[in-house]
Amino acid sequence: MNKYNKPMGLAKTEIFTDLQNEIAVISKAFGHPARVAILQHLFKMDTCVCGDLVSEIGLAQPTISQHLKELKLLGLIKGNVEGTSVCYCIDSENWTKMKAIISQFLDQDLSNKNCC
Amino acid sequence: MNKYNKPMGLAKTEIFTDLQNEIAVISKAFGHPARVAILQHLFKMDTCVCGDLVSEIGLAQPTISQHLKELKLLGLIKGNVEGTSVCYCIDSENWTKMKAIISQFLDQDLSNKNCC
DNA sequence: TTTGTTCATTGTAATATTACGATTAATATT
DNA sequence: AATATTAATCGTAATATTACAATGAACAAA
């Protein structure tokens, strides 16, 4: 810490509403093309993808693993161990919930907003 | 640079599609609660907001200015100089475009995705 | 002309994020 | 048991992001 009430590199989440923080956290998960690519791939596949994400996307295995961890922590995907490999897929229920939160934010009324 | 083909702290955007990168860039703009709060405030106001964002949100003026710059650079908001103050508002046209891009990503088909 | 107001810019401190090599853990396979 | 496979974790290097004080630029008002 330092002379500031909060360290400089850290977002001041406590001054915002829960909804504002929630929108930010979800959006941040979509804020890297690798995670977008992972999610798109999981949607494209009819079955679960068991670890071919590394060859599919083109980043090193630890990097993909790190991105998967973030998505799993947030709840957007689920991962099941199957022998030596792990089966990942979209968490439909949570995806729907988070989609609702983001959609509500995106769908704000645009009438009378062309004033500049 | 270093022994890696790309410096470590930098996203490898060139291995992803334009759409994937676009989704990531837009999402990243929503990835901080201050920017969410700014956008919500601009939506809430019927008229343009002329600089009361600092007192409204509770971050220092340079910090708000920095966030506004990012949103303006991306095209989500417009800023018009009016005397000594600056008038900000949502860029309706761009907002609609970006909403379509994100919505398409969020609206992917969820049927047969509960395999784990 | 001086003073005040408003906002952008610069500089800087600190944490966050991204990426990958090396290693570990767990399970299959031989 | 020994080996191979798969994915997580650890450690580390580098850039990105966040926040704010100090300053500057533009304009209004006195």
Side-chain angles (χ1 to χ4, degrees):
Chain A
M1 200 63 87
N2 55 10
K3 63 172 170 166
Y4 303 104
N5 47 346
K6 261 273 174 126
M8 304 202 78
L10 191 56
K12 282 179 134 181
T13 54
E14 76 280 1
I15 68 171
F16 301 103
T17 68
D18 286 348
L19 181 59
Q20 286 163 345
N21 283 313
E22 211 165 2
I23 292 168
V25 167
I26 299 167
S27 297
K28 205 186 259 183
F30 301 145
H32 193 288
R35 289 190 292 270
V36 171
I38 288 171
L39 292 167
Q40 283 179 334
H41 190 70
L42 292 182
F43 268 109
K44 200 175 63 188
M45 296 289 102
D46 276 347
T47 172
C48 285
V49 172
C50 300
D52 53 358
L53 284 163
V54 173
S55 52
E56 181 73 23
I57 290 178
L59 289 170
Q61 180 266 322
T63 308
I64 297 293
S65 192
Q66 197 172 282
H67 285 304
L68 286 169
K69 191 181 176 182
E70 283 178 63
L71 293 172
K72 209 163 79 177
L73 203 73
L74 186 56
L76 286 171
I77 64 174
K78 290 185 283 189
N80 269 30
V81 178
E82 284 188 2
T84 135
S85 66
V86 178
C87 167
Y88 284 104
C89 65
I90 303 287
D91 186 323
S92 303
E93 204 174 318
N94 282 340
W95 182 272
T96 304
K97 279 182 198 165
M98 302 202 188
K99 186 169 83 171
I101 292 170
I102 301 297
S103 295
Q104 196 175 16
F105 172 67
L106 293 175
D107 285 342
Q108 290 172 89
D109 185 24
L110 270 171
S111 53
N112 309 321
K113 288 294 177 302
N114 252 332
C115 38
C116 305
Chain B
M1 201 62 89
N2 54 8
K3 63 173 171 168
Y4 304 102
N5 47 345
K6 260 273 173 125
M8 305 202 77
L10 191 56
K12 282 180 134 181
T13 53
E14 75 280 1
I15 69 172
F16 301 103
T17 68
D18 286 349
L19 181 58
Q20 285 163 346
N21 282 313
E22 210 164 2
I23 292 168
V25 167
I26 298 167
S27 296
K28 205 186 261 184
F30 301 144
H32 193 288
R35 289 190 293 271
V36 171
I38 288 171
L39 292 167
Q40 282 179 334
H41 190 69
L42 292 182
F43 267 108
K44 201 175 62 187
M45 296 291 103
D46 277 346
T47 171
C48 285
V49 171
C50 298
D52 52 358
L53 284 162
V54 173
S55 53
E56 182 72 24
I57 289 176
L59 290 170
Q61 180 266 322
T63 308
I64 297 292
S65 191
Q66 196 172 282
H67 285 304
L68 286 168
K69 191 181 176 183
E70 283 178 62
L71 293 172
K72 208 161 81 176
L73 203 74
L74 186 57
L76 286 171
I77 64 174
K78 291 185 282 190
N80 271 27
V81 179
E82 283 187 4
T84 133
S85 68
V86 177
C87 167
Y88 284 105
C89 64
I90 303 287
D91 186 323
S92 303
E93 204 175 318
N94 283 340
W95 182 271
T96 304
K97 279 184 197 164
M98 302 204 188
K99 186 170 81 173
I101 291 170
I102 300 298
S103 294
Q104 196 175 15
F105 171 67
L106 292 177
D107 285 341
Q108 291 172 87
D109 186 24
L110 270 172
S111 53
N112 308 321
K113 288 293 178 302
N114 252 332
C115 37
C116 304

